């Protein structure tokens, strides 16, 4: 059966990287289309008219958007190497932590990095609270980053790589070995995972990506 | 089917805990309801949901699950009869997308409009109406909603956006604002009518008079301080 799978992504975006990891895990061939986020293509605007964002997955002409929604779609459509466990309670737990990472941690980290001088201390503390919670979840084995990658592991790419890269670039210390030894150790191992590694941007690519984001924000 | 203990911690006027109740009703699952005072949280709640400290929380056979949309999926996957989500993966993705959209772009903005004044309120109102225009076209004229293609069963999307039928009109009245003009949103209005009259929903709504009092008080409290973190 001829299947047409396309992914609209952007090098440097953690959300885009997640989808590439999932497609690789499942062994799905696809056409990758790199989007310039300062000059969005008509196709992107056609397939994601509501949010106009990447990633967008196109499967046999139908578009799916929002990275966590796409991950579930991929898991339900291609059954090899499941991303979500079978048991409903385990699935709910995985969804809970993936959501926590996206809705709390990514937001808190962003706030800490972009905060004005006087708001920074509070923003950093909020980010630390999130990381502390994640460290607890890691200890409880809610995500592992072992040989198999699940929903939470894939979603946690932001924490392991992007957050650590941004903290160097912005000079704001969030995830340190001292404060979060388990999470730190996990992040070191995580970025060495062969599939994850393949879809991480280089430092230069990350800087280009950040500059484009800045451009868009102005 | 073995009966295993189901408990739901909720708050009488929370649309988030109410939607889980609607899902349990669709599935015909018996549960013990525990009313939480969210302004004076019990040790039980703090123990069961230490991360967010919020309702709803479901306890099923000793397992604890939180977050209302996650709960809808848990209920759907645990009790397989009367499915809430469609079978087709693309349709499922659309349902999840629109549930999230409604929460982020309609609920948040309506709430902001309710709790703010002047320019801020106007802006939030405009954003809310803009989002509702998309909901009208894509959700209420779509295939997954009660009444579409003669559907008489409640689905995931009905339950996820159900708050619009009963809470949004209350926000409008308390906030002296109009969002749901039936002339502008005919499909939404028709769905609201069907939804409110559905046998499982009719008797499972918080009393309007009490809601008016409650939200009036909340909006006063919140408009005089910084943005409230308890969005209910």
């Amino acid at each position: 059966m001829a299947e047409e799978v396309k992914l609209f992504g952007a090098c440097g975006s953690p959300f885009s990287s997640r989808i590439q990891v999932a497609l690789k895990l499942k062994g799905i061939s696809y056409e990758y289309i790199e989007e310039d986020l300062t000059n969005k293509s008509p196709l992107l605007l056609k397939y994601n008219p509501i949010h106009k964002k990447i990633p967008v997955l196109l499967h046999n002409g139908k578009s799916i958007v929002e990275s966590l929604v796409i991950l579930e779609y991929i898991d339900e459509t291609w059954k090899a190497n499941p991303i979500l466990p079978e048991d409903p309670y385990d699935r709910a737990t995985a969804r809970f932590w993936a959501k926590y990472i996206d809705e709390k941690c990514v937001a808190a980290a962003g706030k800490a990095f972009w905060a004005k001088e006087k708001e920074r201390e509070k923003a950093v503390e909020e980010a630390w609270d999130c990381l502390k919670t994640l460290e607890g979840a890691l200890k409880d084995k809610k995500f592992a980053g072992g040989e198999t990658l699940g929903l939470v592991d894939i979603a946690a790419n932001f924490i392991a790589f992007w957050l650590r890269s941004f903290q160097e670039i912005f000079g704001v210390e969030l995830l340190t070995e001292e404060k979060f030894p388990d999470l730190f150790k996990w992040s070191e191992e995580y970025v060495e995972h062969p599939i994850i590694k393949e879809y991480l941007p280089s430092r230069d690519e990350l800087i280009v990506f950040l500059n484009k984001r800045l451009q868009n924000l102005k | 089917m073995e009966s295993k203990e189901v408990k739901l911690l909720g708050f009488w006027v929370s649309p988030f805990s109410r939607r889980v109740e609607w899902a349990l009703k669709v599935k015909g699952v018996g549960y013990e309801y525990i009313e939480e005072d969210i302004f004076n949280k019990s040790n039980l709640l703090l123990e069961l949901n230490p991360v967010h400290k919020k309702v709803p929380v479901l306890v099923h056979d000793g397992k604890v699950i939180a977050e209302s949309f996650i709960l809808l999926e848990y209920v759907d996957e645990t009790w397989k009869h009367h499915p809430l989500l469609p079978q087709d993966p693309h349709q499922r993705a659309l349902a999840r997308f629109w549930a999230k959209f409604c929460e982020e772009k309609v609920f948040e903005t309506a709430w902001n409009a309710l709790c703010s004044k002047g320019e801020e309120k106007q802006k939030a109102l405009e954003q809310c109406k803009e989002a509702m225009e998309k909901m009208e076209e894509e959700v209420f004229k779509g295939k997954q909603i009660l009444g579409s293609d003669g559907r008489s069963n409640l689905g995931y999307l009905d339950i996820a956006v159900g708050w619009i039928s009963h809470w949004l009109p209350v926000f409008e009245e308390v906030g002296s604002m109009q969002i749901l003009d039936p002339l502008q949103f005919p499909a939404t209005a028709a769905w609201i009518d069907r939804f409110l009259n559905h046998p499982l929903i009719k008797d499972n709504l918080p009393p309007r008079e009490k809601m008016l009092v409650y939200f009036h008080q909340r909006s006063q409290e919140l408009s005089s301080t910084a943005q409230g973190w308890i969005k209910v």
Side-chain angles (χ1 to χ4, degrees), chain A residues 48-51 62-66 69 72-73 76-77 86-89 91-93 95-97 99-100 103-104 133, chain B residues 49 51-52 54 63-67 70 73-74 77-78 88-90 92-94 96-98 100-101 104-105 134 138:
Chain A
N48 190 0
I50 303 278
H51 297 303
K62 295 193 195 145
S63 67
I64 305 100
V65 308
E66 301 282 280
V69 175
E72 296 239 18
Y73 176 85
E76 287 169 356
T77 305
E86 288 247 354
D87 174 72
Y89 174 66
R91 292 164 77 84
T93 305
R95 287 170 175 144
F96 179 92
W97 288 106
K99 192 175 185 209
Y100 184 78
E103 292 186 3
K104 295 279 184 235
T133 302
Chain B
N49 190 1
V51 176
H52 298 298
K54 286 179 176 178
K63 295 169 284 194
V64 183
I65 308 106
E67 297 288 278
I70 293 177
E73 299 225 28
Y74 176 81
E77 289 170 359
T78 303
D88 173 69
H90 188 248
R92 292 164 76 89
L94 285 175
R96 289 168 177 144
F97 174 86
W98 285 108
K100 189 171 185 232
F101 177 86
E104 290 176 358
K105 306 290 182 192
K134 299 183 169 117
E138 305 295 334

Side-chain angles (χ1 to χ4, degrees), chain B residues 158-203:
Chain B
D158 295 299
I159 292 174
V161 309
W163 70 274
I164 288 177
S165 68
H166 191 65
W167 278 256
L168 191 51
V170 167
F171 290 179
E172 287 178 298
E173 188 171 326
V174 172
S176 301
M177 52 196 195
Q178 192 193 35
I179 298 164
L180 292 175
D181 176 357
L183 291 175
Q184 204 190 344
F185 303 110
T188 309
W191 169 83
I192 288 176
D193 192 55
R194 285 192 293 268
F195 185 80
L196 290 175
N197 284 303
H198 191 282
L200 292 177
I201 301 296
K202 257 171 47 182
D203 300 317

Side-chain angles (χ1 to χ4, degrees), chain A residues 9-156:
Chain A
C11 174
S13 159
F15 309 107
S16 178
S17 176
R18 285 174 182 174
I19 310 306
Q20 291 184 289
V21 166
L23 291 169
K24 179 78 179 212
L25 268 171
K26 299 272 187 179
I28 301 158
S29 7
Y30 62 100
E31 181 192 341
Y32 176 78
I33 297 151
E34 174 73 16
E35 278 288 326
D36 177 354
L37 296 181
T38 57
N39 187 17
K40 293 174 181 177
S41 74
L43 275 183
L44 175 62
L45 300 178
K46 176 183 169 187
Y47 291 122
N48 190 0
I50 303 278
H51 297 303
K52 306 175 175 54
K53 288 181 174 178
I54 54 94
V56 177
L57 188 77
L58 204 60
H59 180 213
N60 293 334
K62 295 193 195 145
S63 67
I64 305 100
V65 308
E66 301 282 280
S67 70
L68 295 182
V69 175
I70 298 173
L71 290 175
E72 296 239 18
Y73 176 85
I74 289 173
D75 210 34
E76 287 169 356
T77 305
W78 294 282
K79 307 282 186 189
N81 296 330
I83 295 170
L84 276 161
E86 288 247 354
D87 174 72
Y89 174 66
D90 294 335
R91 292 164 77 84
T93 305
R95 287 170 175 144
F96 179 92
W97 288 106
K99 192 175 185 209
Y100 184 78
I101 287 169
D102 265 9
E103 292 186 3
K104 295 279 184 235
C105 302
V106 173
K111 265 174 82 175
F113 293 137
W114 296 106
K116 296 189 172 73
E117 194 70 53
K118 55 178 182 167
E119 293 157 353
R120 178 160 297 142
E121 202 182 318
K122 184 167 177 240
V124 167
E125 278 186 33
E126 280 176 23
W128 281 343
D129 280 340
C130 283
L131 292 175
K132 183 161 170 237
T133 302
L134 278 186
E135 173 122 321
L138 182 65
K139 287 204 177 93
D140 289 339
K141 308 223 182 300
K142 301 305 182 188
F143 55 114
E147 273 153 38
T148 55
L149 294 171
L151 182 74
V152 185
D153 304 295
I154 297 173

